[in-house]
Coordinates of all heavy atoms in Angstrom, one line a residue:
N1 N -24.7 -17.5 4.5 CA -24.8 -18.0 5.9 C -26.1 -18.8 6.1 O -27.1 -18.5 5.5 CB -24.8 -16.9 6.9 CG -23.5 -16.1 6.9 OD1 -22.5 -16.6 6.4 ND2 -23.5 -15.0 7.5
G2 N -26.1 -19.8 6.9 CA -27.3 -20.6 7.2 C -27.2 -21.3 8.5 O -26.2 -21.4 9.1
I3 N -28.4 -21.7 9.0 CA -28.5 -22.4 10.3 C -29.6 -23.4 10.1 O -30.6 -23.1 9.5 CB -28.7 -21.4 11.4 CG1 -28.6 -22.1 12.8 CG2 -30.0 -20.7 11.3 CD1 -28.4 -21.1 13.9
A4 N -29.4 -24.6 10.7 CA -30.4 -25.7 10.6 C -30.5 -26.4 12.0 O -29.6 -26.4 12.7 CB -30.0 -26.6 9.5
T5 N -31.7 -27.0 12.2 CA -31.9 -27.8 13.4 C -32.4 -29.2 13.0 O -32.8 -29.4 11.9 CB -33.0 -27.1 14.3 OG1 -34.2 -27.0 13.6 CG2 -32.6 -25.8 14.8
G6 N -32.4 -30.0 14.1 CA -32.9 -31.4 13.8 C -33.1 -32.2 15.1 O -33.3 -31.6 16.2
L7 N -32.9 -33.5 15.0 CA -33.2 -34.4 16.0 C -32.2 -34.3 17.1 O -31.0 -33.9 16.9 CB -33.2 -35.8 15.5 CG -34.3 -36.1 14.5 CD1 -34.1 -37.6 14.0 CD2 -35.7 -35.9 15.0
L8 N -32.6 -34.6 18.4 CA -31.7 -34.7 19.5 C -30.9 -33.4 19.8 O -29.7 -33.5 20.1 CB -30.8 -35.9 19.4 CG -31.5 -37.2 19.4 CD1 -30.5 -38.4 19.1 CD2 -32.3 -37.5 20.6
G9 N -31.5 -32.3 19.5 CA -30.9 -31.0 19.8 C -29.8 -30.5 18.8 O -29.0 -29.7 19.1
S10 N -29.8 -31.1 17.6 CA -28.9 -30.8 16.6 C -29.0 -29.3 16.1 O -30.1 -28.9 15.7 CB -29.0 -31.7 15.4 OG -28.8 -33.0 15.8
I11 N -27.9 -28.6 16.1 CA -27.9 -27.2 15.5 C -26.6 -27.2 14.7 O -25.5 -27.5 15.2 CB -27.9 -26.1 16.6 CG1 -29.2 -26.2 17.4 CG2 -27.8 -24.8 15.9 CD1 -29.2 -25.2 18.6
Y12 N -26.7 -26.8 13.5 CA -25.6 -26.6 12.6 C -25.6 -25.2 11.9 O -26.7 -24.7 11.5 CB -25.6 -27.7 11.5 CG -25.4 -29.1 12.0 CD1 -26.4 -29.9 12.4 CD2 -24.1 -29.6 12.2 CE1 -26.2 -31.1 12.9 CE2 -23.8 -30.8 12.7 CZ -24.9 -31.6 13.1 OH -24.7 -32.9 13.6
I13 N -24.4 -24.6 11.8 CA -24.2 -23.3 11.2 C -23.2 -23.4 10.1 O -22.2 -24.1 10.2 CB -23.8 -22.3 12.3 CG1 -24.8 -22.1 13.3 CG2 -23.3 -21.0 11.6 CD1 -24.4 -21.1 14.4
T14 N -23.5 -22.7 9.0 CA -22.6 -22.6 7.9 C -22.4 -21.1 7.6 O -23.3 -20.3 7.7 CB -23.1 -23.3 6.6 OG1 -22.1 -23.1 5.6 CG2 -24.4 -22.7 6.1
E15 N -21.1 -20.7 7.3 CA -20.8 -19.4 6.9 C -20.2 -19.3 5.6 O -19.6 -18.2 5.2 CB -19.9 -18.8 8.0 CG -20.5 -18.7 9.4 CD -19.6 -18.1 10.4 OE1 -18.4 -18.2 10.3 OE2 -20.1 -17.7 11.5
D16 N -20.2 -20.4 4.8 CA -19.6 -20.4 3.5 C -20.6 -21.0 2.4 O -20.2 -21.7 1.5 CB -18.3 -21.2 3.5 CG -18.5 -22.6 3.9 OD1 -19.7 -23.1 4.1 OD2 -17.5 -23.3 4.1
G17 N -21.9 -20.7 2.6 CA -22.8 -21.2 1.6 C -23.1 -22.7 1.7 O -23.6 -23.2 0.7
G18 N -22.8 -23.3 2.8 CA -23.1 -24.7 2.9 C -22.0 -25.7 2.6 O -22.2 -26.9 2.7
L19 N -20.8 -25.2 2.3 CA -19.7 -26.1 2.0 C -19.2 -26.8 3.3 O -18.9 -28.0 3.3 CB -18.5 -25.3 1.4 CG -18.7 -24.7 0.0 CD1 -17.6 -23.9 -0.4 CD2 -19.0 -25.9 -1.0
K20 N -19.2 -26.1 4.4 CA -18.8 -26.6 5.7 C -19.9 -26.3 6.7 O -20.4 -25.1 6.7 CB -17.5 -26.1 6.2 CG -16.3 -26.4 5.3 CD -15.0 -25.8 5.9 CE -13.9 -25.9 4.8 NZ -12.8 -25.0 5.2
W21 N -20.2 -27.2 7.6 CA -21.2 -27.0 8.6 C -20.6 -27.3 10.0 O -19.9 -28.3 10.2 CB -22.4 -28.0 8.4 CG -23.2 -27.6 7.3 CD1 -23.0 -28.0 6.0 CD2 -24.4 -26.8 7.3 NE1 -24.0 -27.4 5.2 CE2 -24.8 -26.7 5.9 CE3 -25.1 -26.1 8.3 CZ2 -26.0 -25.9 5.6 CZ3 -26.2 -25.3 7.9 CH2 -26.6 -25.3 6.6
K22 N -20.8 -26.4 10.9 CA -20.2 -26.5 12.3 C -21.4 -26.9 13.2 O -22.4 -26.3 13.3 CB -19.6 -25.2 12.7 CG -19.1 -25.2 14.2 CD -18.6 -23.8 14.5 CE -18.1 -23.8 16.0 NZ -17.7 -22.5 16.4
N23 N -21.2 -27.9 14.0 CA -22.1 -28.4 15.0 C -22.0 -27.5 16.3 O -21.0 -27.3 16.8 CB -21.9 -29.8 15.4 CG -22.9 -30.4 16.4 OD1 -24.0 -29.8 16.5 ND2 -22.6 -31.5 17.0
I24 N -23.2 -27.0 16.7 CA -23.2 -26.1 17.9 C -23.9 -27.0 19.0 O -25.0 -27.5 18.8 CB -24.1 -24.9 17.7 CG1 -23.6 -24.1 16.5 CG2 -24.2 -24.0 18.9 CD1 -22.1 -23.5 16.7
D25 N -23.2 -27.2 20.1 CA -23.8 -27.9 21.2 C -24.6 -27.0 22.1 O -24.1 -26.2 22.8 CB -22.7 -28.6 22.0 CG -23.2 -29.5 23.2 OD1 -24.4 -29.6 23.3 OD2 -22.3 -30.0 23.9
A26 N -25.9 -27.2 22.1 CA -26.8 -26.4 22.9 C -27.1 -27.0 24.2 O -27.8 -26.4 25.0 CB -28.1 -26.1 22.1
G27 N -26.6 -28.2 24.5 CA -26.7 -28.8 25.8 C -28.1 -29.5 26.0 O -28.4 -29.7 27.1
I28 N -28.8 -29.8 24.9 CA -30.1 -30.4 25.1 C -30.2 -31.6 24.2 O -29.4 -31.8 23.2 CB -31.3 -29.5 24.7 CG1 -31.2 -29.1 23.2 CG2 -31.3 -28.3 25.6 CD1 -32.5 -28.6 22.7
K29 N -31.1 -32.5 24.5 CA -31.3 -33.7 23.6 C -32.7 -33.8 23.1 O -33.1 -34.9 22.6 CB -30.9 -35.0 24.4 CG -29.5 -35.1 24.8 CD -28.6 -35.1 23.6 CE -27.1 -35.1 24.0 NZ -26.3 -34.8 22.9
S30 N -33.5 -32.8 23.2 CA -34.8 -32.7 22.6 C -34.8 -32.4 21.2 O -33.9 -31.6 20.7 CB -35.7 -31.7 23.4 OG -35.9 -32.1 24.7
D31 N -35.7 -32.9 20.4 CA -35.8 -32.6 19.0 C -36.2 -31.1 18.8 O -37.0 -30.6 19.5 CB -36.9 -33.5 18.3 CG -36.5 -34.9 18.3 OD1 -35.3 -35.3 18.6 OD2 -37.4 -35.8 18.1
L32 N -35.5 -30.5 17.8 CA -35.7 -29.1 17.5 C -36.5 -29.1 16.1 O -36.0 -29.7 15.2 CB -34.4 -28.3 17.4 CG -33.7 -28.2 18.7 CD1 -32.3 -27.6 18.6 CD2 -34.5 -27.4 19.8
Y33 N -37.5 -28.3 16.0 CA -38.4 -28.3 14.8 C -38.2 -27.0 14.0 O -38.6 -27.0 12.8 CB -39.8 -28.5 15.2 CG -40.1 -29.7 16.0 CD1 -40.8 -29.7 17.1 CD2 -39.6 -30.9 15.5 CE1 -41.1 -30.9 17.8 CE2 -39.9 -32.1 16.2 CZ -40.6 -32.1 17.3 OH -40.8 -33.2 18.0
S34 N -37.8 -25.9 14.6 CA -37.7 -24.6 13.9 C -36.6 -23.8 14.5 O -36.3 -23.8 15.6 CB -39.1 -23.9 14.1 OG -39.1 -22.7 13.3
I35 N -36.1 -23.0 13.6 CA -35.0 -22.0 14.0 C -35.2 -20.8 13.1 O -35.6 -20.9 11.9 CB -33.6 -22.6 13.9 CG1 -32.6 -21.7 14.6 CG2 -33.2 -22.8 12.4 CD1 -31.4 -22.5 15.0
S36 N -34.9 -19.6 13.7 CA -35.1 -18.3 12.9 C -34.1 -17.4 13.5 O -33.7 -17.4 14.6 CB -36.5 -17.8 13.2 OG -36.7 -16.5 12.6
S37 N -33.6 -16.5 12.6 CA -32.6 -15.5 13.0 C -33.0 -14.1 12.5 O -33.6 -13.9 11.4 CB -31.2 -15.9 12.5 OG -31.2 -15.9 11.1
S38 N -32.5 -13.1 13.2 CA -32.7 -11.7 12.9 C -31.5 -11.0 13.5 O -31.4 -10.7 14.7 CB -34.0 -11.1 13.4 OG -34.1 -9.8 13.1
G39 N -30.5 -10.6 12.6 CA -29.3 -10.0 13.1 C -28.5 -11.0 14.1 O -28.3 -12.1 13.7
D40 N -28.2 -10.5 15.3 CA -27.5 -11.3 16.2 C -28.4 -12.3 16.9 O -27.9 -13.3 17.6 CB -26.9 -10.4 17.3 CG -25.7 -9.6 16.7 OD1 -25.2 -10.0 15.7 OD2 -25.3 -8.6 17.4
V41 N -29.7 -12.1 16.9 CA -30.7 -13.0 17.6 C -31.0 -14.2 16.8 O -31.4 -14.1 15.6 CB -31.9 -12.2 18.0 CG1 -33.0 -13.1 18.6 CG2 -31.6 -11.0 18.9
V42 N -30.9 -15.4 17.5 CA -31.4 -16.7 16.9 C -32.2 -17.3 17.9 O -31.9 -17.4 19.1 CB -30.2 -17.6 16.5 CG1 -30.6 -18.9 15.9 CG2 -29.2 -16.8 15.6
C43 N -33.4 -17.8 17.4 CA -34.4 -18.5 18.3 C -34.7 -19.9 17.7 O -34.9 -20.0 16.5 CB -35.7 -17.7 18.4 SG -35.4 -16.0 18.8
A44 N -34.7 -20.9 18.6 CA -35.1 -22.2 18.2 C -36.1 -22.8 19.1 O -36.2 -22.4 20.3 CB -33.8 -23.1 18.1
C45 N -36.9 -23.8 18.7 CA -37.9 -24.4 19.5 C -38.1 -25.9 19.1 O -37.7 -26.3 18.0 CB -39.2 -23.7 19.5 SG -40.0 -23.6 17.9
G46 N -38.8 -26.6 20.0 CA -39.0 -28.0 19.7 C -39.9 -28.7 20.7 O -40.8 -28.1 21.3
S47 N -39.6 -30.0 20.8 CA -40.5 -30.9 21.6 C -40.4 -30.5 23.1 O -39.4 -29.9 23.5 CB -40.1 -32.3 21.4 OG -38.8 -32.6 21.8
R48 N -41.4 -30.8 23.8 CA -41.5 -30.5 25.3 C -41.2 -29.1 25.6 O -40.5 -28.8 26.6 CB -40.5 -31.5 26.0 CG -41.0 -32.9 26.0 CD -40.1 -33.8 26.8 NE -38.8 -33.9 26.0 CZ -38.3 -35.1 25.6 NH1 -38.9 -36.2 25.9 NH2 -37.2 -35.1 24.9
A49 N -41.7 -28.2 24.7 CA -41.6 -26.7 24.9 C -40.2 -26.2 25.0 O -39.9 -25.2 25.7 CB -42.4 -26.3 26.1
V50 N -39.2 -26.9 24.4 CA -37.9 -26.4 24.4 C -37.8 -25.1 23.6 O -38.3 -24.9 22.5 CB -36.9 -27.4 23.7 CG1 -35.6 -26.8 23.4 CG2 -36.8 -28.7 24.5
I51 N -37.2 -24.1 24.3 CA -36.9 -22.8 23.7 C -35.5 -22.5 23.9 O -35.0 -22.5 25.1 CB -37.8 -21.7 24.3 CG1 -39.3 -21.9 24.0 CG2 -37.4 -20.3 23.9 CD1 -40.2 -20.9 24.7
L52 N -34.8 -22.1 22.9 CA -33.4 -21.7 22.9 C -33.2 -20.3 22.3 O -33.8 -20.1 21.3 CB -32.5 -22.7 22.2 CG -32.5 -24.2 22.7 CD1 -31.7 -25.0 21.7 CD2 -31.9 -24.2 24.1
I53 N -32.4 -19.5 23.0 CA -32.2 -18.1 22.5 C -30.7 -17.9 22.4 O -29.9 -18.3 23.3 CB -32.8 -17.1 23.5 CG1 -34.3 -17.3 23.7 CG2 -32.5 -15.7 23.0 CD1 -35.2 -17.0 22.6
S54 N -30.3 -17.3 21.3 CA -28.9 -16.9 21.2 C -28.8 -15.4 20.8 O -29.7 -14.9 20.0 CB -28.2 -17.7 20.0 OG -26.9 -17.1 19.7
T55 N -27.9 -14.7 21.4 CA -27.7 -13.3 21.1 C -26.4 -13.0 20.4 O -25.9 -11.9 20.3 CB -27.9 -12.4 22.3 OG1 -27.0 -12.8 23.3 CG2 -29.3 -12.4 22.8
D56 N -25.7 -14.1 20.0 CA -24.4 -14.0 19.4 C -24.3 -14.8 18.0 O -23.4 -15.5 17.7 CB -23.3 -14.5 20.3 CG -23.5 -15.9 20.8 OD1 -24.4 -16.6 20.3 OD2 -22.7 -16.4 21.7
R57 N -25.4 -14.6 17.3 CA -25.6 -15.2 15.9 C -25.5 -16.8 15.9 O -25.1 -17.4 15.0 CB -24.5 -14.7 15.0 CG -24.7 -13.2 14.7 CD -23.8 -12.7 13.6 NE -24.0 -11.3 13.3 CZ -24.6 -10.9 12.3 NH1 -25.1 -11.7 11.4 NH2 -24.8 -9.6 12.1
G58 N -25.9 -17.4 17.1 CA -25.9 -18.8 17.1 C -24.7 -19.5 17.6 O -24.6 -20.7 17.6
T59 N -23.7 -18.7 18.1 CA -22.5 -19.3 18.6 C -22.8 -20.1 19.9 O -22.2 -21.2 20.1 CB -21.4 -18.3 18.8 OG1 -21.2 -17.6 17.6 CG2 -20.1 -18.9 19.4
S60 N -23.7 -19.6 20.7 CA -24.1 -20.2 22.0 C -25.6 -20.0 22.2 O -26.1 -19.0 21.7 CB -23.3 -19.7 23.1 OG -23.5 -18.3 23.3
F61 N -26.2 -20.9 22.9 CA -27.6 -20.8 23.2 C -27.9 -20.9 24.7 O -27.2 -21.6 25.4 CB -28.4 -21.9 22.5 CG -28.5 -21.7 21.0 CD1 -27.5 -22.1 20.1 CD2 -29.6 -21.0 20.5 CE1 -27.6 -21.9 18.8 CE2 -29.7 -20.8 19.1 CZ -28.7 -21.3 18.2
E62 N -28.9 -20.2 25.1 CA -29.4 -20.3 26.5 C -30.9 -20.8 26.4 O -31.7 -20.3 25.7 CB -29.4 -18.9 27.2 CG -28.1 -18.4 27.5 CD -27.3 -19.2 28.5 OE1 -27.9 -19.7 29.5 OE2 -26.1 -19.3 28.4
P63 N -31.2 -21.8 27.3 CA -32.6 -22.3 27.3 C -33.5 -21.3 28.1 O -33.0 -20.7 29.0 CB -32.5 -23.6 28.1 CG -31.2 -23.5 28.9 CD -30.3 -22.6 28.2
V64 N -34.7 -21.3 27.7 CA -35.7 -20.5 28.4 C -36.8 -21.5 28.8 O -37.3 -22.3 28.0 CB -36.4 -19.5 27.4 CG1 -37.6 -18.8 28.1 CG2 -35.4 -18.5 26.9
T65 N -37.0 -21.6 30.1 CA -37.9 -22.6 30.7 C -39.2 -21.9 31.1 O -39.2 -20.8 31.6 CB -37.3 -23.3 31.8 OG1 -36.9 -22.4 32.9 CG2 -36.1 -24.1 31.4
N66 N -40.3 -22.7 30.9 CA -41.6 -22.3 31.3 C -42.4 -23.5 31.7 O -42.9 -24.2 30.8 CB -42.4 -21.5 30.2 CG -43.7 -21.0 30.7 OD1 -44.3 -21.5 31.7 ND2 -44.2 -19.9 30.1
P67 N -42.4 -23.9 33.0 CA -43.0 -25.1 33.4 C -44.5 -25.3 33.0 O -44.9 -26.4 32.8 CB -43.0 -25.1 35.0 CG -41.9 -24.1 35.3 CD -41.9 -23.1 34.1
E68 N -45.2 -24.2 32.8 CA -46.6 -24.3 32.3 C -46.7 -24.9 30.9 O -47.7 -25.4 30.5 CB -47.2 -22.9 32.4 CG -47.4 -22.4 33.8 CD -47.9 -21.0 33.8 OE1 -48.4 -20.5 32.8 OE2 -47.8 -20.3 34.8
L69 N -45.6 -24.8 30.1 CA -45.7 -25.3 28.8 C -45.0 -26.6 28.6 O -44.9 -27.1 27.5 CB -44.9 -24.3 27.9 CG -45.5 -22.9 27.7 CD1 -44.6 -22.0 26.9 CD2 -46.9 -22.9 27.1
S70 N -44.6 -27.3 29.6 CA -43.8 -28.5 29.5 C -44.4 -29.6 28.7 O -43.7 -30.4 28.2 CB -43.4 -29.0 30.9 OG -44.6 -29.4 31.6
L71 N -45.7 -29.6 28.5 CA -46.3 -30.7 27.8 C -46.6 -30.3 26.3 O -47.0 -31.1 25.5 CB -47.7 -31.1 28.4 CG -47.5 -31.7 29.8 CD1 -48.9 -32.1 30.4 CD2 -46.6 -32.9 29.8
H72 N -46.3 -29.1 26.0 CA -46.5 -28.6 24.6 C -45.3 -28.8 23.7 O -44.2 -28.8 24.1 CB -46.8 -27.1 24.7 CG -48.2 -26.8 25.3 ND1 -49.3 -26.8 24.5 CD2 -48.5 -26.5 26.5 CE1 -50.3 -26.5 25.3 NE2 -49.9 -26.3 26.6
W73 N -45.6 -28.9 22.4 CA -44.6 -29.0 21.4 C -44.6 -27.7 20.6 O -45.7 -27.3 20.1 CB -44.8 -30.2 20.5 CG -44.6 -31.5 21.2 CD1 -45.2 -31.9 22.4 CD2 -43.9 -32.6 20.8 NE1 -44.8 -33.1 22.7 CE2 -44.0 -33.6 21.7 CE3 -43.1 -32.9 19.6 CZ2 -43.4 -34.8 21.6 CZ3 -42.5 -34.1 19.5 CH2 -42.7 -35.1 20.5
L74 N -43.5 -27.0 20.6 CA -43.5 -25.8 19.8 C -42.9 -26.0 18.4 O -41.9 -26.7 18.3 CB -42.6 -24.7 20.5 CG -43.1 -24.4 21.9 CD1 -42.1 -23.5 22.7 CD2 -44.5 -23.7 21.9
R75 N -43.6 -25.6 17.4 CA -43.3 -26.0 16.0 C -42.8 -24.9 15.2 O -42.2 -25.1 14.1 CB -44.6 -26.5 15.3 CG -45.2 -27.7 16.0 CD -44.4 -28.9 15.6 NE -45.1 -30.1 16.0 CZ -44.6 -31.3 15.9 NH1 -43.5 -31.4 15.4 NH2 -45.3 -32.3 16.4
K76 N -42.9 -23.6 15.6 CA -42.4 -22.5 14.7 C -41.8 -21.4 15.5 O -42.4 -21.0 16.5 CB -43.6 -21.9 13.9 CG -43.3 -20.8 13.0 CD -42.4 -21.2 11.9 CE -42.1 -20.0 11.0 NZ -40.9 -20.2 10.2
A77 N -40.6 -21.0 15.1 CA -39.9 -19.9 15.8 C -39.8 -18.7 14.8 O -39.6 -18.9 13.6 CB -38.5 -20.3 16.2
S78 N -40.0 -17.5 15.3 CA -39.8 -16.3 14.5 C -39.0 -15.3 15.3 O -39.4 -14.9 16.4 CB -41.1 -15.7 14.1 OG -41.9 -16.5 13.3
A79 N -37.8 -14.9 14.8 CA -36.9 -14.0 15.5 C -37.0 -12.6 15.0 O -37.2 -12.3 13.8 CB -35.5 -14.5 15.3
F80 N -36.9 -11.6 15.9 CA -36.8 -10.2 15.7 C -35.7 -9.7 16.5 O -35.2 -10.3 17.4 CB -38.1 -9.5 16.1 CG -39.3 -10.0 15.3 CD1 -40.0 -11.1 15.7 CD2 -39.7 -9.4 14.1 CE1 -41.1 -11.6 14.9 CE2 -40.8 -9.8 13.4 CZ -41.5 -10.9 13.8
P81 N -35.2 -8.5 16.2 CA -34.0 -8.0 16.9 C -34.2 -7.9 18.5 O -33.2 -8.0 19.2 CB -33.8 -6.6 16.3 CG -34.4 -6.7 15.0 CD -35.5 -7.6 15.1
D82 N -35.4 -7.7 18.9 CA -35.6 -7.6 20.4 C -36.6 -8.6 21.0 O -36.9 -8.5 22.2 CB -36.1 -6.2 20.7 CG -37.5 -5.9 20.0 OD1 -37.9 -6.7 19.1 OD2 -38.1 -4.9 20.4
R83 N -37.0 -9.6 20.2 CA -38.0 -10.6 20.7 C -38.0 -11.8 19.8 O -37.6 -11.7 18.7 CB -39.3 -10.0 20.9 CG -40.0 -9.6 19.6 CD -41.2 -8.6 19.8 NE -41.8 -8.3 18.6 CZ -41.3 -7.4 17.7 NH1 -40.1 -6.8 17.9 NH2 -41.9 -7.1 16.6
C84 N -38.6 -12.9 20.3 CA -38.8 -14.1 19.6 C -40.3 -14.5 19.9 O -40.7 -14.4 21.0 CB -37.9 -15.2 19.9 SG -36.2 -14.9 19.5
Y85 N -40.9 -15.0 18.9 CA -42.2 -15.6 19.0 C -42.1 -17.1 18.7 O -41.4 -17.5 17.8 CB -43.2 -15.0 18.1 CG -43.6 -13.6 18.4 CD1 -43.0 -12.5 17.8 CD2 -44.5 -13.3 19.4 CE1 -43.4 -11.2 18.1 CE2 -44.9 -12.0 19.8 CZ -44.3 -11.0 19.1 OH -44.7 -9.7 19.5
F86 N -42.9 -17.9 19.4 CA -43.0 -19.4 19.2 C -44.4 -19.8 19.1 O -45.2 -19.3 19.9 CB -42.3 -20.1 20.3 CG -40.8 -19.6 20.5 CD1 -40.5 -18.6 21.4 CD2 -39.8 -20.2 19.7 CE1 -39.2 -18.2 21.6 CE2 -38.5 -19.8 19.9 CZ -38.2 -18.8 20.8
A87 N -44.8 -20.6 18.2 CA -46.1 -21.1 18.0 C -46.1 -22.6 18.2 O -45.2 -23.3 17.7 CB -46.7 -20.7 16.7
G88 N -47.2 -23.2 18.8 CA -47.2 -24.6 19.0 C -48.6 -25.2 19.0 O -49.5 -24.6 18.5
M89 N -48.7 -26.4 19.6 CA -49.9 -27.1 19.6 C -51.0 -26.4 20.4 O -50.7 -25.6 21.3 CB -49.7 -28.5 20.1 CG -49.2 -28.6 21.6 SD -48.8 -30.2 22.2 CE -50.4 -30.6 22.9
N90 N -52.2 -26.7 20.0 CA -53.4 -26.1 20.7 C -53.4 -24.6 20.7 O -54.0 -23.9 21.6 CB -53.5 -26.6 22.1 CG -53.7 -28.1 22.2 OD1 -54.3 -28.7 21.3 ND2 -53.1 -28.7 23.2
G91 N -52.8 -24.0 19.7 CA -52.8 -22.5 19.5 C -51.9 -21.7 20.5 O -52.1 -20.5 20.6
V92 N -51.0 -22.4 21.1 CA -50.1 -21.8 22.0 C -49.2 -20.8 21.3 O -48.6 -21.2 20.3 CB -49.3 -22.8 22.8 CG1 -48.1 -22.1 23.6 CG2 -50.1 -23.6 23.8
V93 N -49.0 -19.6 21.8 CA -48.1 -18.6 21.3 C -47.3 -18.1 22.4 O -47.9 -17.7 23.4 CB -48.8 -17.5 20.5 CG1 -47.8 -16.4 20.1 CG2 -49.6 -18.0 19.3
V94 N -46.0 -18.1 22.3 CA -45.1 -17.6 23.4 C -44.2 -16.5 22.9 O -43.7 -16.6 21.8 CB -44.2 -18.8 23.9 CG1 -43.2 -18.3 24.9 CG2 -45.0 -20.0 24.3
K95 N -44.1 -15.4 23.6 CA -43.2 -14.3 23.3 C -42.1 -14.2 24.3 O -42.4 -14.3 25.5 CB -44.0 -13.0 23.3 CG -43.2 -11.8 23.0 CD -44.0 -10.5 23.1 CE -43.2 -9.2 23.0 NZ -44.0 -8.0 23.1
V96 N -40.9 -14.1 23.8 CA -39.7 -14.0 24.7 C -39.0 -12.7 24.4 O -38.6 -12.5 23.2 CB -38.8 -15.2 24.6 CG1 -37.5 -15.0 25.4 CG2 -39.5 -16.5 25.0
K97 N -38.9 -11.8 25.3 CA -38.2 -10.5 25.1 C -36.7 -10.7 25.2 O -36.2 -11.5 26.0 CB -38.6 -9.4 26.1 CG -40.0 -8.9 25.8 CD -40.3 -7.7 26.7 CE -41.2 -6.8 25.9 NZ -41.1 -5.5 26.3
I98 N -36.0 -10.0 24.3 CA -34.5 -10.1 24.3 C -33.9 -8.8 24.8 O -34.4 -7.7 24.4 CB -34.0 -10.4 22.9 CG1 -34.7 -11.6 22.2 CG2 -32.5 -10.6 22.9 CD1 -34.5 -12.9 22.9
R99 N -33.0 -8.9 25.7 CA -32.3 -7.7 26.3 C -33.2 -6.9 27.1 O -33.9 -6.4 27.4 CB -31.7 -6.8 25.1 CG -30.6 -7.6 24.4 CD -30.0 -6.9 23.3 NE -29.5 -7.9 22.4 CZ -29.6 -7.9 21.1 NH1 -30.2 -6.9 20.5 NH2 -29.1 -8.8 20.4

């Protein structure tokens, strides 16, 4: 299994070792720089402080908004079963609790 992100909100999932990839529409057009999964939880982040959270193994995503971060670019996502961490420019670290 694998998951990848890219430009203009691209998210792709494979469940067969990369033979076939399924495009997941997260409803955004911002570039995504990082994605991480832990069990059912998948977290992604990118430009303009985009944060996406999935609790169904990446089948669907919900955006998390924080107006205070709107000018920041988040570069690294780390998923855990009950939370996600995001790191970005100027030392910004964001924690999002799940469930």
Side-chain angles (χ1 to χ4, degrees):
N1 294 342
I3 190 163
T5 60
L7 300 177
L8 300 173
S10 300
I11 300 175
Y12 291 91
I13 292 179
T14 182
E15 295 178 342
D16 60 7
L19 295 174
K20 296 178 194 165
W21 289 85
K22 178 181 176 185
N23 182 19
I24 305 298
D25 183 4
I28 64 159
K29 295 298 177 198
S30 296
D31 296 343
L32 296 172
Y33 303 129
S34 181
I35 195 159
S36 177
S37 64
S38 178
D40 291 343
V41 174
V42 180
C43 306
C45 64
S47 63
R48 293 180 288 239
V50 167
I51 294 175
L52 299 173
I53 305 289
S54 172
T55 56
D56 57 10
R57 294 186 179 257
T59 301
S60 64
F61 286 86
E62 291 292 326
V64 174
T65 58
N66 185 334
E68 295 175 15
L69 296 174
S70 64
L71 298 178
H72 290 275
W73 293 47
L74 299 173
R75 298 282 187 185
K76 179 65 178 159
S78 295
F80 297 87
D82 63 344
R83 66 197 179 285
C84 292
Y85 289 100
F86 304 92
M89 61 183 270
N90 299 325
V92 169
V93 176
V94 178
K95 177 182 175 183
V96 176
K97 289 189 144 206
I98 310 294
R99 297 177 202 136

